[in-house]
Amino acid sequence: MEEQYHPSTVEKIAQEYWKDSHCFEVTEDPDKEKFYCLAMFPYPSGKLHMGHVRNYTITDVISRYQRMLGKNVLHPMGWDAFGLPAENAAIQNNTAPAKWTYSNIDYMKQQLNSLGFGFDWKRELATCQPSYYKWEQWFFTRLYEKGLVYKKMATVNWDPIDQTVLANEQVVDGKGWRSGAVVERKEIPQWFIKITDYAEELLSSLDELPNWPEQVKTMQRNWIGKSKGVEINFDLSNPIEGIKGFDVYTTRPDTLMGVTYVSIAAEHPIALALAKDNAELSEFIKDCKKQSVSEADMSAAEKRGIDTGLTAVHPLSNEPVAIWVANYVLMDYGSGAVMAVPAHDERDYEFAQKFNLDIKQVIKPTKPDDDCDISQEAYTEKGILVNSGEFNGLDFQQAFDAIAQKLNALGKGKVTTNFRLRDWGVSRQRYWGTPIPMFNLPEGGEIAVPFEKLPVLLPEDVEMDGVQSPIKADADWRKATLDGKAVEHETDTFDTFMESSWYYARYTSADLESAMLDPNKANYWLPVDQYVGGIEHAILHLLYARFFHKLMRDEGLVECDEPFKSLLCQGMVLAETYFRKNADGSTDWFNPSDVTLEKDDKGKPIKATLTATGEIVEIGGTTKMSKSKNNGVDPQTAVGQYGADTVRLFTMFAAPPTQTLEWNDAGVEGASRFLRRLWKTVHGHLAAGEPATLNTSNLTQVQQDLRRKTHETIAKVSDDYGVRQQFNTAVAAVMELLNDVNKYADRSTGETLAVEREAIEAAILLLAPVAPHISHVLWETLGHTDSVVNAQWPSIDQAALVKSNVTIVIQVNGKVRAKIDVANNTSKEELETIAKQDENVQKFTDGKTIRKVIVIPNKLVNIVAN
RNA sequence: GCCAGUGUGGUGAAAUUGGUAGACACGUCGGAUUCAAAAUCCGAUGCUAGCGAUAGCGUGGCGGUUCGAGUCCGCCCACUGGUACCA
């Protein structure tokens, strides 16, 4: 064996072996327990970034670990290939989105292989391939036939200069990112899938996902937002254009007597009707249109409103209440109207204060001493009704029921269950996506493209002008015939969340040409046993995929109810930023690789300079790796410099997977140093001669301790990989084991070498999932004929774990005053006696009365004295 | 705004069920080796005071529960993710 560790040589050997033996290509095997491990597939943006490296290292570690446990492991990879960035890049580089995308895929695939990820490339797919999106189109037409798809008007961001629809991301401070024009809201017809039909099930089956992070389930529950409330009808005092009234929904009918006005959306039919002969209102409505459609922007916008002059009739008191048009009420959600109870709702309170509207308290605290001062702020807690006539004195539930019942009797309201979740709008006015498989008919209306005419192909050889989608600009593309009749192709494409909603299932039947899925294969592999991806997908992607899975189930394609059995959400990858402010106020950002740091004597950075010029730059803090701050660290550079194993080891070691990960070159060197030390240890061990067969009956204390460490480490790492999914502590445990080997191992005889051999082999096996290349070569070097990728996970020798002594902490009033070594399982009584006799303990109990002694066997003794 | 997280030494972090705060690693300092340096090896390293034994303080802030709180509860601050057309 070579004395020095050369990562590039080692990695070449291992990667060639994996490739030549096709060892990650798997097929269904009913005799073996299956394990489907999946990473969220990447958008082919050009280069792999550290977030990808982290994601795929995690799934690779889990896959290799599960494989060593003897399971049939599927670990596929593919490309989320449709999307907005390809269009932007195509315009910028004067190329076509397809060409750009395919060349990115080629490059990134090579990068993935250089990192040694064990993917089954036979199942590779790219969502922009007609063989993939054909089945998505087919599935959509099936949903259409089942009535789960419909078309309606919906609001988009409209750039009036570029005459194009903008994504929320493309709206910056209310203006179009390219044109700078103030963005307008525009209503256009769009396709929707009825996710709300599945709201109840999407909510309730979250309870069947014990291995999902609680925070993700909570976010999804809140997003679905099931609530019980009352739908209330308000009549208009004077009908307008035949409109006699409108509905509002509230979860707080108990506050109904506190309604002092109602707010309606700018697009509400009543507002539009009134605006016809009200110039001021008409102007306000026009103004409301100049607003981004994103919820975050809207909530940040100033609350504005205007009194319409029209009143509605309060359904119980019959008193007139003012109708306001407000910019924060949206036509797309609910009925486009809300009742306002300023005394008991913060937003209504703020609005009422601003416009001097009445604030009427109708709820008082259940406990009289609770803070409630309506002149200062809204009281939003539930309480006891006041100023509510016949309902006075009722609590929330009683009032809810009584008021609902009364409204019901008057024919003015009913109890309903409401969901915050809205139907899934899947239409996009973009080019680089799956064409929506619908024909628009000349007489109006539409019909699904029949199966024989699928796929509706997206032309790939196009020129992007930066404004209009090439398939919208091309009148010929639109032309089609159906049964000899001229029809037109829909020119909108699908939301790219469509493709990412079912790719995990297609991997099981990747090359199937005759159907979307092969149920036999799909049902063998599904559900995914472990899904890993960024927390940013906690709601949208994961909810749409869950929904799509249920749609596929109801189509008879899959059997299980949920697609992802266990979910791990990884944190982002961060790096230090460096910048210089220019005289004109602009900022230049410098990549960490171009900066030299100067540190004070404690190691705290005090000064940063550009390595090339020596110019001083400012330290801008650690943030998410991004193009805008130029702090991306290229994985390829790191792999070239230290090797894939080091990069993988560092990514796993530097932080637990769910936390943010800070890239740090010094830390990477530490990881590299550890691998070199491992290599050197194996080299020294082999040079010392052949070990004898391990005989555990005649070991010295030091050797027993080393064996205990070996088996404690196996137990710890197994728990960390398999149960806790905390890879950083697993790596730390192996580091500890190797430290002990180097400190205590004895190479003088065959018997002692056997103890060292056991420890070293354990270390290699435990490390194999994280650093598979070096483990592959070292395992071979130790004389094994099978490859480490197929080796069996080490088992624990319970006898080696037995401890003779434990350290007990002795506290006085909760403060540590002594530590003692005692035999394992010393009795409570004995521990108490020993503790009280301790000299240091007596110093602190002297002159005090011992009130209580708490003894936790094998842990601590706490003496309470005063 | 709303929903969900996060906050521990100079730094990344550990502490799995309420029981020794800081494992492991980086950095820094000191030493060995070297003509010298790199690499490697050994040792020290939470902060403050003290030669030292040791003592006090210490897990974003304020308060609470408990014999005991990084961990549980309440309020607050800062940062991050999502907010339905970025993926």
Side-chain angles (χ1 to χ4, degrees):
Chain A
M1 137 182 226
E2 274 220 55
E3 197 178 342
Q4 296 297 318
Y5 165 51
H6 297 294
S8 57
T9 318
V10 163
E11 287 171 14
K12 200 169 162 235
I13 293 170
Q15 286 172 14
E16 273 174 13
Y17 173 83
W18 298 329
K19 197 178 170 196
D20 295 345
S21 62
H22 302 276
C23 74
F24 299 113
E25 290 170 17
V26 291
T27 48
E28 302 73 45
D29 178 352
D31 297 331
K32 256 179 151 181
E33 189 182 344
K34 67 95 186 178
F35 192 92
Y36 184 177
C37 184
L38 182 68
M40 289 181 185
F41 63 166
Y43 179 78
S45 56
K47 273 195 228 170
L48 229 49
H49 58 69
M50 281 300 175
H52 295 132
V53 174
R54 190 180 197 194
N55 196 168
Y56 308 145
T57 304
I58 294 170
T59 53
D60 202 38
V61 169
I62 295 171
S63 296
R64 288 173 185 269
Y65 168 67
Q66 292 293 339
R67 184 188 179 107
M68 290 172 82
L69 293 179
K71 295 182 191 167
N72 190 23
V73 177
L74 171 59
H75 187 211
M77 183 45 62
W79 310 95
D80 188 12
F82 276 139
L84 207 46
E87 298 195 9
N88 297 329
I91 297 162
Q92 232 167 43
N93 309 323
N94 203 22
T95 175
K99 203 178 160 197
W100 181 83
T101 302
Y102 284 119
S103 94
N104 287 347
I105 288 174
D106 282 347
Y107 181 71
M108 289 171 76
K109 186 172 174 180
Q110 176 205 318
Q111 285 191 302
L112 289 175
N113 283 326
S114 78
L115 278 148
F117 299 135
F119 295 126
D120 180 354
W121 285 111
K122 274 203 143 170
R123 297 166 187 267
E124 180 185 7
L125 56 84
T127 57
C128 61
Q129 292 161 336
S131 57
Y132 184 81
Y133 66 68
K134 173 183 176 175
W135 295 108
E136 188 169 303
Q137 292 176 333
W138 167 77
F139 196 68
F140 186 80
T141 63
R142 284 293 303 141
L143 297 178
Y144 179 74
E145 282 158 30
K146 289 182 184 173
L148 283 164
V149 159
Y150 65 100
K151 203 174 190 181
K152 71 166 185 187
M153 298 297 278
T155 317
V156 293
N157 296 308
W158 180 252
D159 185 321
I161 292 185
D162 278 351
Q163 292 282 303
T164 188
V165 175
L166 298 178
N168 284 334
E169 188 193 46
Q170 298 170 316
V171 180
V172 182
D173 295 330
K175 298 187 177 100
W177 64 338
R178 280 191 223 280
S179 69
V182 173
V183 167
E184 294 172 6
R185 304 162 68 89
K186 190 180 175 184
E187 305 249 304
I188 57 170
Q190 305 201 58
W191 288 101
F192 284 80
I193 305 181
K194 290 185 184 171
I195 191 171
T196 52
D197 274 16
Y198 284 72
E200 193 72 64
E201 195 196 339
L202 286 167
L203 179 68
S204 63
S205 55
L206 284 172
D207 297 335
E208 286 148 37
L209 297 172
N211 294 314
W212 274 43
E214 213 46 62
Q215 49 157 317
V216 173
K217 287 190 279 185
T218 307
M219 280 191 267
Q220 292 213 352
R221 279 188 197 106
N222 293 337
W223 185 261
I224 295 167
K226 182 179 180 177
S227 65
K228 192 184 158 201
V230 178
E231 200 178 275
I232 303 173
N233 176 253
F234 281 78
D235 288 334
L236 293 181
S237 311
N238 300 300
I240 178 160
E241 290 189 0
I243 306 169
K244 291 196 182 113
F246 58 91
D247 289 335
V248 302
Y249 172 80
T250 179
T251 56
R252 291 293 304 269
D254 59 316
T255 63
L256 182 58
M257 300 311 284
V259 170
T260 54
Y261 66 100
V262 293
S263 299
I264 60 174
E267 293 93 349
H268 198 283
I270 294 173
L272 297 177
L274 287 169
K276 283 179 185 162
D277 38 40
N278 181 338
E280 203 192 344
L281 180 59
S282 164
E283 193 57 36
F284 179 77
I285 290 172
K286 218 171 120 190
D287 225 38
C288 283
K289 285 199 180 286
K290 288 178 191 162
Q291 207 175 60
S292 143
V293 295
S294 92
E295 190 194 319
D297 287 348
M298 269 168 350
S299 67
E302 195 197 348
K303 314 265 172 298
R304 291 178 303 136
I306 187 168
D307 190 351
T308 60
L310 184 68
T311 57
V313 183
H314 191 285
L316 295 186
S317 70
N318 291 321
E319 304 217 356
V321 287
I323 300 176
W324 282 65
V325 173
N327 66 340
Y328 61 86
V329 182
L330 292 171
M331 202 57 221
D332 286 0
Y333 318 152
S335 62
V338 291
M339 68 179 213
V341 186
H344 305 292
D345 179 280
E346 273 167 34
R347 203 165 55 172
D348 295 343
Y349 188 89
E350 198 188 312
F351 194 85
Q353 290 268 317
K354 187 170 168 182
F355 294 103
N356 247 329
L357 298 162
D358 284 349
I359 299 175
K360 180 186 171 194
Q361 180 177 359
V362 290
I363 304 288
K364 67 171 188 186
T366 310
K367 290 183 207 142
D369 15 323
D370 279 3
D371 281 346
C372 169
D373 182 357
I374 300 296
S375 69
Q376 292 305 308
E377 58 177 356
Y379 181 74
T380 58
E381 305 293 312
K382 288 168 183 169
I384 305 297
L385 270 68
V386 292
N387 298 326
S388 297
E390 61 187 287
F391 306 109
N392 282 346
L394 300 182
D395 67 16
F396 170 77
Q397 198 52 57
Q398 293 163 335
F400 186 110
D401 294 340
I403 290 175
Q405 202 178 9
K406 175 125 191 203
L407 286 167
N408 204 33
L410 293 169
K412 290 194 180 288
K414 58 172 194 266
V415 175
T416 56
T417 296
N418 210 44
F419 290 93
R420 201 186 82 97
L421 182 70
R422 310 193 303 262
D423 276 337
W424 180 9
V426 294
S427 296
R428 297 294 180 271
Q429 294 68 45
R430 281 171 247 299
Y431 155 73
W432 191 233
T434 301
I436 296 181
M438 298 300 287
F439 283 136
N440 293 314
L441 305 175
E443 65 269 27
E446 55 279 311
I447 189 167
V449 176
F451 181 68
E452 322 79 74
K453 289 189 182 280
L454 295 177
V456 177
L457 281 176
L458 184 73
E460 294 194 346
D461 185 19
V462 296
E463 273 178 39
M464 302 289 299
D465 66 0
V467 179
Q468 208 180 17
S469 154
I471 56 172
K472 287 187 186 290
D474 181 353
D476 282 343
W477 187 82
R478 205 174 306 178
K479 284 180 191 158
T481 52
L482 182 66
D483 303 329
K485 198 170 81 174
V487 292
E488 285 194 342
H489 275 126
E490 169 65 64
T491 57
D492 278 2
T493 51
F494 280 138
D495 175 7
T496 55
F497 276 125
M498 285 282 277
E499 286 86 62
S500 54
S501 291
W502 67 285
Y503 75 107
Y504 64 89
R506 181 67 184 177
Y507 281 137
T508 68
S509 320
D511 52 8
L512 186 65
E513 283 176 16
S514 58
M516 188 176 189
L517 296 176
D518 176 340
N520 287 325
K521 292 183 174 180
N523 289 325
Y524 173 81
W525 291 112
L526 292 173
V528 171
D529 294 278
Q530 180 66 60
Y531 195 30
V532 181
I535 183 69
E536 65 273 21
H537 296 292
I539 297 174
L540 292 180
H541 161 61
L542 288 167
L543 189 67
Y544 290 139
R546 292 181 58 223
F547 169 50
F548 220 93
H549 189 83
K550 291 172 193 297
L551 292 173
M552 290 193 290
R553 175 200 62 195
D554 293 346
E555 182 63 28
L557 294 164
V558 295
E559 277 168 3
C560 50
D561 292 322
E562 283 286 333
F564 314 120
K565 201 166 150 189
S566 179
L567 175 69
L568 173 64
C569 289
Q570 104 227 13
M572 297 172 305
V573 182
L574 316 178
E576 197 64 70
T577 56
Y578 303 97
F579 66 92
R580 277 174 72 98
K581 286 260 183 232
N582 296 321
D584 65 356
S586 64
T587 308
D588 285 336
W589 296 91
F590 299 97
N591 195 271
S593 60
D594 300 329
V595 172
T596 305
L597 270 187
E598 210 173 287
K599 292 171 179 174
D600 68 8
D601 54 5
K602 278 182 176 167
K604 197 173 185 171
I606 43 169
K607 195 176 154 193
T609 53
L610 286 179
T611 314
T613 63
E615 283 175 284
I616 296 175
V617 292
E618 289 188 58
I619 303 171
T622 345
T623 60
K624 180 179 172 176
M625 284 190 185
S626 71
K627 269 190 192 154
S628 61
K629 296 215 169 145
N630 191 16
N631 63 337
V633 176
D634 185 7
Q636 219 54 43
T637 314
V639 171
Q641 201 172 348
Y642 302 100
D645 279 340
T646 293
V647 171
R648 296 168 58 120
L649 183 70
F650 173 75
T651 351
M652 290 296 96
F653 177 63
T658 54
Q659 299 291 311
T660 56
L661 170 79
E662 212 171 300
W663 190 262
N664 169 289
D665 280 326
V668 179
E669 261 175 73
S672 169
R673 199 174 301 158
F674 169 72
L675 293 180
R676 285 202 298 272
R677 213 158 51 223
L678 173 69
W679 185 275
K680 221 175 98 183
T681 304
V682 174
H683 183 265
H685 168 79
L686 283 176
E690 270 301 302
T693 310
L694 182 66
N695 176 0
T696 57
S697 61
N698 204 6
L699 298 176
T700 64
Q701 188 59 50
V702 173
Q703 288 174 320
Q704 278 181 39
D705 286 347
L706 183 54
R707 282 206 78 224
R708 191 175 64 241
K709 186 72 182 177
T710 299
H711 289 273
E712 277 174 355
T713 307
I714 296 170
K716 165 79 179 153
V717 174
S718 305
D719 187 43
D720 280 350
Y721 283 171
V723 181
R724 298 209 311 150
Q725 299 185 320
Q726 280 253 121
F727 310 103
N728 56 329
T729 48
V731 172
V734 181
M735 286 175 169
E736 279 188 54
L737 175 61
L738 194 71
N739 287 346
D740 275 11
V741 167
N742 286 321
K743 222 180 248 176
Y744 302 117
D746 178 345
R747 290 173 179 165
S748 55
T749 69
E751 280 70 33
T752 58
L753 273 173
V755 175
E756 188 186 28
R757 172 65 64 102
E758 187 190 23
I760 287 176
E761 291 205 340
I764 292 170
L765 291 170
L766 298 178
L767 213 56
V770 178
H773 306 90
I774 191 172
S775 305
H776 175 90
V777 170
L778 291 178
W779 190 246
E780 216 168 51
T781 308
L782 286 172
H784 294 277
T785 47
D786 60 330
S787 166
V788 76
V789 75
N790 295 318
Q792 207 178 24
W793 192 249
S795 49
I796 300 160
D797 178 359
Q798 293 296 336
L801 292 177
V802 175
K803 262 186 177 177
S804 51
N805 280 301
V806 287
T807 303
I808 302 286
V809 167
I810 304 169
Q811 300 180 330
V812 178
N813 292 329
K815 289 194 176 182
V816 180
R817 296 302 179 190
K819 291 174 189 181
I820 49 167
D821 254 10
V822 296
N824 196 16
N825 296 327
T826 301
S827 74
K828 275 189 164 193
E829 294 70 25
E830 211 175 323
L831 282 175
E832 184 172 338
T833 315
I834 300 169
K836 282 180 181 164
Q837 282 165 357
D838 187 277
E839 209 179 310
N840 289 318
V841 171
Q842 287 185 349
K843 218 163 87 189
F844 287 91
T845 52
D846 215 20
K848 289 177 180 165
T849 317
I850 293 175
R851 302 282 174 197
K852 202 173 180 181
V853 179
I854 287 124
V855 185
I856 313 287
N858 289 341
K859 273 253 156 75
L860 66 68
V861 178
N862 187 12
I863 299 169
V864 186
N866 62 5

